[in-house]
Amino acid sequence: EVIDNYYKFIMYRNPLDRLVSAYKDKTFKDVAYSWIKTSILSLKRRKGGASISSEVNFLDFVEYFLSRPGHLLGDVHFLPIQRLCHPCHVRYDYYGNFDSFERD
């Protein structure tokens, strides 16, 4: 197979770090996901917990997605590594951890 001729490596990270990354990406960085922030704030307002100028905090973000199982399972931040990189089907030459990225 052609893939066997390449050096293959995979980097993984702590799932909680991925969740924090998703929070930052979906609420502060990527304007394509601004609807998420709007939805969270709308839900907070309905519950009586948000003013018009409220920001989405990490707990709001986590509660929002826990209340909607499968809502963003197709998103790279939420997909399990075995669905992203298929480590059971690809013979990787190296497995690295983001926590030790500089050292590795």
PDB file of all heavy atoms in Angstrom, residues 39-75:
ATOM      1  N   SER A  39     -26.942  30.689  20.976  1.00  0.00           N
ATOM      2  CA  SER A  39     -27.838  29.663  21.529  1.00  0.00           C
ATOM      3  C   SER A  39     -27.657  29.508  23.027  1.00  0.00           C
ATOM      4  O   SER A  39     -28.626  29.372  23.774  1.00  0.00           O
ATOM      5  CB  SER A  39     -27.586  28.308  20.858  1.00  0.00           C
ATOM      6  OG  SER A  39     -27.899  28.362  19.505  1.00  0.00           O
ATOM      7  N   ILE A  40     -26.408  29.521  23.472  1.00  0.00           N
ATOM      8  CA  ILE A  40     -26.130  29.374  24.905  1.00  0.00           C
ATOM      9  C   ILE A  40     -26.687  30.566  25.674  1.00  0.00           C
ATOM     10  O   ILE A  40     -27.341  30.407  26.712  1.00  0.00           O
ATOM     11  CB  ILE A  40     -24.619  29.203  25.161  1.00  0.00           C
ATOM     12  CG1 ILE A  40     -24.140  27.876  24.567  1.00  0.00           C
ATOM     13  CG2 ILE A  40     -24.311  29.261  26.655  1.00  0.00           C
ATOM     14  CD1 ILE A  40     -22.623  27.704  24.552  1.00  0.00           C
ATOM     15  N   LEU A  41     -26.460  31.774  25.166  1.00  0.00           N
ATOM     16  CA  LEU A  41     -26.967  32.966  25.841  1.00  0.00           C
ATOM     17  C   LEU A  41     -28.490  32.997  25.843  1.00  0.00           C
ATOM     18  O   LEU A  41     -29.113  33.381  26.835  1.00  0.00           O
ATOM     19  CB  LEU A  41     -26.401  34.230  25.192  1.00  0.00           C
ATOM     20  CG  LEU A  41     -24.910  34.465  25.437  1.00  0.00           C
ATOM     21  CD1 LEU A  41     -24.420  35.651  24.630  1.00  0.00           C
ATOM     22  CD2 LEU A  41     -24.636  34.661  26.922  1.00  0.00           C
ATOM     23  N   SER A  42     -29.097  32.565  24.765  1.00  0.00           N
ATOM     24  CA  SER A  42     -30.558  32.504  24.693  1.00  0.00           C
ATOM     25  C   SER A  42     -31.108  31.532  25.738  1.00  0.00           C
ATOM     26  O   SER A  42     -32.087  31.836  26.430  1.00  0.00           O
ATOM     27  CB  SER A  42     -30.978  32.072  23.288  1.00  0.00           C
ATOM     28  OG  SER A  42     -32.360  31.912  23.212  1.00  0.00           O
ATOM     29  N   LEU A  43     -30.460  30.389  25.864  1.00  0.00           N
ATOM     30  CA  LEU A  43     -30.873  29.405  26.861  1.00  0.00           C
ATOM     31  C   LEU A  43     -30.713  29.973  28.271  1.00  0.00           C
ATOM     32  O   LEU A  43     -31.590  29.808  29.128  1.00  0.00           O
ATOM     33  CB  LEU A  43     -30.054  28.130  26.697  1.00  0.00           C
ATOM     34  CG  LEU A  43     -30.401  26.961  27.599  1.00  0.00           C
ATOM     35  CD1 LEU A  43     -31.816  26.471  27.310  1.00  0.00           C
ATOM     36  CD2 LEU A  43     -29.407  25.824  27.392  1.00  0.00           C
ATOM     37  N   LYS A  44     -29.598  30.659  28.518  1.00  0.00           N
ATOM     38  CA  LYS A  44     -29.366  31.274  29.830  1.00  0.00           C
ATOM     39  C   LYS A  44     -30.443  32.319  30.136  1.00  0.00           C
ATOM     40  O   LYS A  44     -30.942  32.383  31.259  1.00  0.00           O
ATOM     41  CB  LYS A  44     -27.989  31.936  29.880  1.00  0.00           C
ATOM     42  CG  LYS A  44     -26.844  30.975  30.082  1.00  0.00           C
ATOM     43  CD  LYS A  44     -25.497  31.688  30.070  1.00  0.00           C
ATOM     44  CE  LYS A  44     -25.338  32.584  31.271  1.00  0.00           C
ATOM     45  NZ  LYS A  44     -23.976  33.169  31.367  1.00  0.00           N
ATOM     46  N   ARG A  45     -30.799  33.113  29.141  1.00  0.00           N
ATOM     47  CA  ARG A  45     -31.824  34.151  29.353  1.00  0.00           C
ATOM     48  C   ARG A  45     -33.175  33.526  29.687  1.00  0.00           C
ATOM     49  O   ARG A  45     -33.896  34.024  30.550  1.00  0.00           O
ATOM     50  CB  ARG A  45     -31.932  35.042  28.123  1.00  0.00           C
ATOM     51  CG  ARG A  45     -30.801  36.015  28.007  1.00  0.00           C
ATOM     52  CD  ARG A  45     -31.004  37.017  26.871  1.00  0.00           C
ATOM     53  NE  ARG A  45     -29.730  37.646  26.595  1.00  0.00           N
ATOM     54  CZ  ARG A  45     -28.965  37.368  25.549  1.00  0.00           C
ATOM     55  NH1 ARG A  45     -29.354  36.505  24.641  1.00  0.00           N
ATOM     56  NH2 ARG A  45     -27.808  37.970  25.401  1.00  0.00           N
ATOM     57  N   ARG A  46     -33.506  32.439  28.989  1.00  0.00           N
ATOM     58  CA  ARG A  46     -34.776  31.759  29.266  1.00  0.00           C
ATOM     59  C   ARG A  46     -34.818  31.226  30.695  1.00  0.00           C
ATOM     60  O   ARG A  46     -35.860  31.168  31.303  1.00  0.00           O
ATOM     61  CB  ARG A  46     -35.028  30.641  28.270  1.00  0.00           C
ATOM     62  CG  ARG A  46     -35.645  31.165  26.976  1.00  0.00           C
ATOM     63  CD  ARG A  46     -36.010  30.064  26.032  1.00  0.00           C
ATOM     64  NE  ARG A  46     -34.908  29.983  25.068  1.00  0.00           N
ATOM     65  CZ  ARG A  46     -34.353  28.873  24.632  1.00  0.00           C
ATOM     66  NH1 ARG A  46     -34.799  27.712  25.028  1.00  0.00           N
ATOM     67  NH2 ARG A  46     -33.367  28.908  23.781  1.00  0.00           N
ATOM     68  N   LYS A  47     -33.649  30.839  31.191  1.00  0.00           N
ATOM     69  CA  LYS A  47     -33.564  30.351  32.562  1.00  0.00           C
ATOM     70  C   LYS A  47     -33.440  31.492  33.568  1.00  0.00           C
ATOM     71  O   LYS A  47     -33.399  31.265  34.766  1.00  0.00           O
ATOM     72  CB  LYS A  47     -32.348  29.427  32.725  1.00  0.00           C
ATOM     73  CG  LYS A  47     -32.480  28.109  32.010  1.00  0.00           C
ATOM     74  CD  LYS A  47     -31.236  27.276  32.279  1.00  0.00           C
ATOM     75  CE  LYS A  47     -31.321  25.904  31.670  1.00  0.00           C
ATOM     76  NZ  LYS A  47     -30.114  25.117  31.939  1.00  0.00           N
ATOM     77  N   GLY A  48     -33.320  32.725  33.056  1.00  0.00           N
ATOM     78  CA  GLY A  48     -33.199  33.883  33.925  1.00  0.00           C
ATOM     79  C   GLY A  48     -31.791  34.126  34.421  1.00  0.00           C
ATOM     80  O   GLY A  48     -31.590  34.822  35.408  1.00  0.00           O
ATOM     81  N   GLY A  49     -30.791  33.579  33.744  1.00  0.00           N
ATOM     82  CA  GLY A  49     -29.425  33.691  34.233  1.00  0.00           C
ATOM     83  C   GLY A  49     -28.502  34.543  33.399  1.00  0.00           C
ATOM     84  O   GLY A  49     -27.315  34.535  33.620  1.00  0.00           O
ATOM     85  N   ALA A  50     -29.025  35.294  32.450  1.00  0.00           N
ATOM     86  CA  ALA A  50     -28.113  36.072  31.605  1.00  0.00           C
ATOM     87  C   ALA A  50     -28.721  37.423  31.263  1.00  0.00           C
ATOM     88  O   ALA A  50     -29.895  37.519  30.967  1.00  0.00           O
ATOM     89  CB  ALA A  50     -27.809  35.311  30.319  1.00  0.00           C
ATOM     90  N   SER A  51     -27.903  38.411  31.306  1.00  0.00           N
ATOM     91  CA  SER A  51     -28.321  39.719  30.824  1.00  0.00           C
ATOM     92  C   SER A  51     -27.915  39.813  29.352  1.00  0.00           C
ATOM     93  O   SER A  51     -27.210  38.948  28.843  1.00  0.00           O
ATOM     94  CB  SER A  51     -27.639  40.819  31.638  1.00  0.00           C
ATOM     95  OG  SER A  51     -26.250  40.788  31.407  1.00  0.00           O
ATOM     96  N   ILE A  52     -28.321  40.859  28.711  1.00  0.00           N
ATOM     97  CA  ILE A  52     -28.019  41.013  27.285  1.00  0.00           C
ATOM     98  C   ILE A  52     -26.516  41.040  27.019  1.00  0.00           C
ATOM     99  O   ILE A  52     -26.041  40.544  26.016  1.00  0.00           O
ATOM    100  CB  ILE A  52     -28.707  42.278  26.730  1.00  0.00           C
ATOM    101  CG1 ILE A  52     -30.210  42.042  26.698  1.00  0.00           C
ATOM    102  CG2 ILE A  52     -28.183  42.650  25.352  1.00  0.00           C
ATOM    103  CD1 ILE A  52     -31.039  43.209  26.267  1.00  0.00           C
ATOM    104  N   SER A  53     -25.738  41.576  27.951  1.00  0.00           N
ATOM    105  CA  SER A  53     -24.301  41.689  27.728  1.00  0.00           C
ATOM    106  C   SER A  53     -23.503  40.500  28.275  1.00  0.00           C
ATOM    107  O   SER A  53     -22.293  40.536  28.313  1.00  0.00           O
ATOM    108  CB  SER A  53     -23.781  42.985  28.355  1.00  0.00           C
ATOM    109  OG  SER A  53     -23.958  42.937  29.759  1.00  0.00           O
ATOM    110  N   SER A  54     -24.166  39.463  28.706  1.00  0.00           N
ATOM    111  CA  SER A  54     -23.470  38.318  29.300  1.00  0.00           C
ATOM    112  C   SER A  54     -22.549  37.620  28.314  1.00  0.00           C
ATOM    113  O   SER A  54     -22.816  37.586  27.123  1.00  0.00           O
ATOM    114  CB  SER A  54     -24.473  37.288  29.814  1.00  0.00           C
ATOM    115  OG  SER A  54     -25.141  37.777  30.933  1.00  0.00           O
ATOM    116  N   GLU A  55     -21.479  37.100  28.856  1.00  0.00           N
ATOM    117  CA  GLU A  55     -20.557  36.275  28.075  1.00  0.00           C
ATOM    118  C   GLU A  55     -20.827  34.811  28.392  1.00  0.00           C
ATOM    119  O   GLU A  55     -21.430  34.479  29.406  1.00  0.00           O
ATOM    120  CB  GLU A  55     -19.112  36.623  28.416  1.00  0.00           C
ATOM    121  CG  GLU A  55     -18.664  37.967  27.888  1.00  0.00           C
ATOM    122  CD  GLU A  55     -18.698  38.043  26.369  1.00  0.00           C
ATOM    123  OE1 GLU A  55     -18.247  37.086  25.707  1.00  0.00           O
ATOM    124  OE2 GLU A  55     -19.167  39.056  25.840  1.00  0.00           O
ATOM    125  N   VAL A  56     -20.356  33.943  27.544  1.00  0.00           N
ATOM    126  CA  VAL A  56     -20.473  32.504  27.761  1.00  0.00           C
ATOM    127  C   VAL A  56     -19.243  32.046  28.513  1.00  0.00           C
ATOM    128  O   VAL A  56     -18.125  32.175  28.021  1.00  0.00           O
ATOM    129  CB  VAL A  56     -20.594  31.752  26.416  1.00  0.00           C
ATOM    130  CG1 VAL A  56     -20.570  30.259  26.629  1.00  0.00           C
ATOM    131  CG2 VAL A  56     -21.846  32.180  25.680  1.00  0.00           C
ATOM    132  N   ASN A  57     -19.438  31.503  29.716  1.00  0.00           N
ATOM    133  CA  ASN A  57     -18.296  30.977  30.446  1.00  0.00           C
ATOM    134  C   ASN A  57     -18.153  29.477  30.167  1.00  0.00           C
ATOM    135  O   ASN A  57     -19.005  28.862  29.507  1.00  0.00           O
ATOM    136  CB  ASN A  57     -18.379  31.289  31.947  1.00  0.00           C
ATOM    137  CG  ASN A  57     -19.570  30.641  32.618  1.00  0.00           C
ATOM    138  OD1 ASN A  57     -19.917  29.492  32.357  1.00  0.00           O
ATOM    139  ND2 ASN A  57     -20.217  31.377  33.510  1.00  0.00           N
ATOM    140  N   PHE A  58     -17.090  28.905  30.663  1.00  0.00           N
ATOM    141  CA  PHE A  58     -16.793  27.496  30.377  1.00  0.00           C
ATOM    142  C   PHE A  58     -17.902  26.573  30.878  1.00  0.00           C
ATOM    143  O   PHE A  58     -18.304  25.644  30.189  1.00  0.00           O
ATOM    144  CB  PHE A  58     -15.443  27.117  30.996  1.00  0.00           C
ATOM    145  CG  PHE A  58     -15.005  25.717  30.678  1.00  0.00           C
ATOM    146  CD1 PHE A  58     -14.651  25.363  29.383  1.00  0.00           C
ATOM    147  CD2 PHE A  58     -14.961  24.749  31.663  1.00  0.00           C
ATOM    148  CE1 PHE A  58     -14.244  24.068  29.077  1.00  0.00           C
ATOM    149  CE2 PHE A  58     -14.555  23.460  31.368  1.00  0.00           C
ATOM    150  CZ  PHE A  58     -14.202  23.121  30.074  1.00  0.00           C
ATOM    151  N   LEU A  59     -18.416  26.846  32.074  1.00  0.00           N
ATOM    152  CA  LEU A  59     -19.490  26.012  32.626  1.00  0.00           C
ATOM    153  C   LEU A  59     -20.741  26.082  31.754  1.00  0.00           C
ATOM    154  O   LEU A  59     -21.381  25.057  31.496  1.00  0.00           O
ATOM    155  CB  LEU A  59     -19.801  26.430  34.062  1.00  0.00           C
ATOM    156  CG  LEU A  59     -20.880  25.617  34.777  1.00  0.00           C
ATOM    157  CD1 LEU A  59     -20.505  24.136  34.845  1.00  0.00           C
ATOM    158  CD2 LEU A  59     -21.127  26.169  36.170  1.00  0.00           C
ATOM    159  N   ASP A  60     -21.085  27.284  31.278  1.00  0.00           N
ATOM    160  CA  ASP A  60     -22.226  27.429  30.361  1.00  0.00           C
ATOM    161  C   ASP A  60     -22.042  26.549  29.124  1.00  0.00           C
ATOM    162  O   ASP A  60     -22.968  25.867  28.675  1.00  0.00           O
ATOM    163  CB  ASP A  60     -22.369  28.881  29.874  1.00  0.00           C
ATOM    164  CG  ASP A  60     -22.660  29.877  30.963  1.00  0.00           C
ATOM    165  OD1 ASP A  60     -23.288  29.502  31.971  1.00  0.00           O
ATOM    166  OD2 ASP A  60     -22.247  31.048  30.803  1.00  0.00           O
ATOM    167  N   PHE A  61     -20.846  26.595  28.583  1.00  0.00           N
ATOM    168  CA  PHE A  61     -20.517  25.832  27.379  1.00  0.00           C
ATOM    169  C   PHE A  61     -20.673  24.327  27.618  1.00  0.00           C
ATOM    170  O   PHE A  61     -21.329  23.626  26.844  1.00  0.00           O
ATOM    171  CB  PHE A  61     -19.082  26.163  26.954  1.00  0.00           C
ATOM    172  CG  PHE A  61     -18.604  25.440  25.737  1.00  0.00           C
ATOM    173  CD1 PHE A  61     -18.962  25.861  24.468  1.00  0.00           C
ATOM    174  CD2 PHE A  61     -17.772  24.337  25.859  1.00  0.00           C
ATOM    175  CE1 PHE A  61     -18.506  25.201  23.331  1.00  0.00           C
ATOM    176  CE2 PHE A  61     -17.313  23.672  24.730  1.00  0.00           C
ATOM    177  CZ  PHE A  61     -17.680  24.103  23.471  1.00  0.00           C
ATOM    178  N   VAL A  62     -20.095  23.842  28.696  1.00  0.00           N
ATOM    179  CA  VAL A  62     -20.158  22.410  29.007  1.00  0.00           C
ATOM    180  C   VAL A  62     -21.606  21.974  29.256  1.00  0.00           C
ATOM    181  O   VAL A  62     -22.052  20.960  28.717  1.00  0.00           O
ATOM    182  CB  VAL A  62     -19.259  22.062  30.218  1.00  0.00           C
ATOM    183  CG1 VAL A  62     -19.488  20.633  30.677  1.00  0.00           C
ATOM    184  CG2 VAL A  62     -17.791  22.283  29.867  1.00  0.00           C
ATOM    185  N   GLU A  63     -22.341  22.747  30.032  1.00  0.00           N
ATOM    186  CA  GLU A  63     -23.736  22.397  30.311  1.00  0.00           C
ATOM    187  C   GLU A  63     -24.574  22.370  29.035  1.00  0.00           C
ATOM    188  O   GLU A  63     -25.433  21.512  28.862  1.00  0.00           O
ATOM    189  CB  GLU A  63     -24.341  23.381  31.316  1.00  0.00           C
ATOM    190  CG  GLU A  63     -23.827  23.176  32.724  1.00  0.00           C
ATOM    191  CD  GLU A  63     -24.364  24.212  33.709  1.00  0.00           C
ATOM    192  OE1 GLU A  63     -24.893  25.271  33.268  1.00  0.00           O
ATOM    193  OE2 GLU A  63     -24.240  23.958  34.918  1.00  0.00           O
ATOM    194  N   TYR A  64     -24.312  23.306  28.151  1.00  0.00           N
ATOM    195  CA  TYR A  64     -25.043  23.365  26.884  1.00  0.00           C
ATOM    196  C   TYR A  64     -24.859  22.071  26.087  1.00  0.00           C
ATOM    197  O   TYR A  64     -25.820  21.471  25.618  1.00  0.00           O
ATOM    198  CB  TYR A  64     -24.580  24.574  26.072  1.00  0.00           C
ATOM    199  CG  TYR A  64     -25.239  24.700  24.722  1.00  0.00           C
ATOM    200  CD1 TYR A  64     -26.523  25.216  24.600  1.00  0.00           C
ATOM    201  CD2 TYR A  64     -24.579  24.328  23.562  1.00  0.00           C
ATOM    202  CE1 TYR A  64     -27.138  25.356  23.372  1.00  0.00           C
ATOM    203  CE2 TYR A  64     -25.173  24.466  22.321  1.00  0.00           C
ATOM    204  CZ  TYR A  64     -26.458  24.978  22.233  1.00  0.00           C
ATOM    205  OH  TYR A  64     -27.054  25.095  21.007  1.00  0.00           O
ATOM    206  N   PHE A  65     -23.627  21.623  25.958  1.00  0.00           N
ATOM    207  CA  PHE A  65     -23.384  20.428  25.159  1.00  0.00           C
ATOM    208  C   PHE A  65     -23.765  19.137  25.877  1.00  0.00           C
ATOM    209  O   PHE A  65     -24.160  18.176  25.237  1.00  0.00           O
ATOM    210  CB  PHE A  65     -21.943  20.394  24.652  1.00  0.00           C
ATOM    211  CG  PHE A  65     -21.756  21.368  23.530  1.00  0.00           C
ATOM    212  CD1 PHE A  65     -21.101  22.564  23.739  1.00  0.00           C
ATOM    213  CD2 PHE A  65     -22.308  21.130  22.289  1.00  0.00           C
ATOM    214  CE1 PHE A  65     -20.978  23.486  22.729  1.00  0.00           C
ATOM    215  CE2 PHE A  65     -22.201  22.041  21.268  1.00  0.00           C
ATOM    216  CZ  PHE A  65     -21.528  23.233  21.482  1.00  0.00           C
ATOM    217  N   LEU A  66     -23.683  19.126  27.176  1.00  0.00           N
ATOM    218  CA  LEU A  66     -24.144  17.950  27.916  1.00  0.00           C
ATOM    219  C   LEU A  66     -25.655  17.805  27.808  1.00  0.00           C
ATOM    220  O   LEU A  66     -26.176  16.689  27.859  1.00  0.00           O
ATOM    221  CB  LEU A  66     -23.724  18.030  29.380  1.00  0.00           C
ATOM    222  CG  LEU A  66     -22.248  17.815  29.662  1.00  0.00           C
ATOM    223  CD1 LEU A  66     -21.959  17.987  31.156  1.00  0.00           C
ATOM    224  CD2 LEU A  66     -21.781  16.439  29.189  1.00  0.00           C
ATOM    225  N   SER A  67     -26.350  18.909  27.643  1.00  0.00           N
ATOM    226  CA  SER A  67     -27.808  18.863  27.512  1.00  0.00           C
ATOM    227  C   SER A  67     -28.239  18.483  26.093  1.00  0.00           C
ATOM    228  O   SER A  67     -29.422  18.280  25.844  1.00  0.00           O
ATOM    229  CB  SER A  67     -28.424  20.202  27.907  1.00  0.00           C
ATOM    230  OG  SER A  67     -28.130  21.194  26.946  1.00  0.00           O
ATOM    231  N   ARG A  68     -27.284  18.384  25.180  1.00  0.00           N
ATOM    232  CA  ARG A  68     -27.566  18.040  23.781  1.00  0.00           C
ATOM    233  C   ARG A  68     -26.616  16.949  23.298  1.00  0.00           C
ATOM    234  O   ARG A  68     -25.716  17.218  22.525  1.00  0.00           O
ATOM    235  CB  ARG A  68     -27.412  19.286  22.906  1.00  0.00           C
ATOM    236  CG  ARG A  68     -28.504  20.274  23.117  1.00  0.00           C
ATOM    237  CD  ARG A  68     -28.077  21.660  22.695  1.00  0.00           C
ATOM    238  NE  ARG A  68     -29.154  22.605  22.845  1.00  0.00           N
ATOM    239  CZ  ARG A  68     -29.553  23.092  24.003  1.00  0.00           C
ATOM    240  NH1 ARG A  68     -28.972  22.717  25.113  1.00  0.00           N
ATOM    241  NH2 ARG A  68     -30.550  23.949  24.062  1.00  0.00           N
ATOM    242  N   PRO A  69     -26.822  15.728  23.784  1.00  0.00           N
ATOM    243  CA  PRO A  69     -25.902  14.653  23.366  1.00  0.00           C
ATOM    244  C   PRO A  69     -25.875  14.511  21.843  1.00  0.00           C
ATOM    245  O   PRO A  69     -26.896  14.541  21.184  1.00  0.00           O
ATOM    246  CB  PRO A  69     -26.476  13.401  24.017  1.00  0.00           C
ATOM    247  CG  PRO A  69     -27.550  13.846  24.925  1.00  0.00           C
ATOM    248  CD  PRO A  69     -27.882  15.268  24.620  1.00  0.00           C
ATOM    249  N   GLY A  70     -24.699  14.392  21.309  1.00  0.00           N
ATOM    250  CA  GLY A  70     -24.536  14.202  19.874  1.00  0.00           C
ATOM    251  C   GLY A  70     -24.611  15.476  19.059  1.00  0.00           C
ATOM    252  O   GLY A  70     -24.502  15.434  17.842  1.00  0.00           O
ATOM    253  N   HIS A  71     -24.762  16.626  19.721  1.00  0.00           N
ATOM    254  CA  HIS A  71     -24.967  17.890  19.010  1.00  0.00           C
ATOM    255  C   HIS A  71     -23.809  18.238  18.078  1.00  0.00           C
ATOM    256  O   HIS A  71     -24.019  18.655  16.954  1.00  0.00           O
ATOM    257  CB  HIS A  71     -25.190  19.006  20.024  1.00  0.00           C
ATOM    258  CG  HIS A  71     -25.599  20.305  19.422  1.00  0.00           C
ATOM    259  ND1 HIS A  71     -26.803  20.478  18.789  1.00  0.00           N
ATOM    260  CD2 HIS A  71     -24.953  21.490  19.344  1.00  0.00           C
ATOM    261  CE1 HIS A  71     -26.885  21.725  18.352  1.00  0.00           C
ATOM    262  NE2 HIS A  71     -25.776  22.365  18.668  1.00  0.00           N
ATOM    263  N   LEU A  72     -22.589  18.050  18.522  1.00  0.00           N
ATOM    264  CA  LEU A  72     -21.443  18.390  17.685  1.00  0.00           C
ATOM    265  C   LEU A  72     -20.477  17.218  17.554  1.00  0.00           C
ATOM    266  O   LEU A  72     -19.284  17.415  17.449  1.00  0.00           O
ATOM    267  CB  LEU A  72     -20.695  19.597  18.260  1.00  0.00           C
ATOM    268  CG  LEU A  72     -21.197  20.968  17.846  1.00  0.00           C
ATOM    269  CD1 LEU A  72     -20.349  22.056  18.460  1.00  0.00           C
ATOM    270  CD2 LEU A  72     -21.246  21.135  16.349  1.00  0.00           C
ATOM    271  N   LEU A  73     -21.004  16.017  17.547  1.00  0.00           N
ATOM    272  CA  LEU A  73     -20.116  14.863  17.472  1.00  0.00           C
ATOM    273  C   LEU A  73     -19.324  14.795  16.184  1.00  0.00           C
ATOM    274  O   LEU A  73     -18.311  14.126  16.113  1.00  0.00           O
ATOM    275  CB  LEU A  73     -20.899  13.561  17.683  1.00  0.00           C
ATOM    276  CG  LEU A  73     -21.339  13.318  19.117  1.00  0.00           C
ATOM    277  CD1 LEU A  73     -22.118  12.003  19.211  1.00  0.00           C
ATOM    278  CD2 LEU A  73     -20.173  13.297  20.075  1.00  0.00           C
ATOM    279  N   GLY A  74     -19.750  15.490  15.167  1.00  0.00           N
ATOM    280  CA  GLY A  74     -18.993  15.525  13.923  1.00  0.00           C
ATOM    281  C   GLY A  74     -17.865  16.538  13.935  1.00  0.00           C
ATOM    282  O   GLY A  74     -17.082  16.612  13.004  1.00  0.00           O
ATOM    283  N   ASP A  75     -17.777  17.325  15.002  1.00  0.00           N
ATOM    284  CA  ASP A  75     -16.740  18.340  15.111  1.00  0.00           C
ATOM    285  C   ASP A  75     -15.438  17.728  15.604  1.00  0.00           C
ATOM    286  O   ASP A  75     -15.439  16.857  16.463  1.00  0.00           O
ATOM    287  CB  ASP A  75     -17.206  19.427  16.086  1.00  0.00           C
ATOM    288  CG  ASP A  75     -16.253  20.597  16.132  1.00  0.00           C
ATOM    289  OD1 ASP A  75     -15.281  20.518  16.912  1.00  0.00           O
ATOM    290  OD2 ASP A  75     -16.466  21.572  15.396  1.00  0.00           O
TER     291      ASP A  75
END
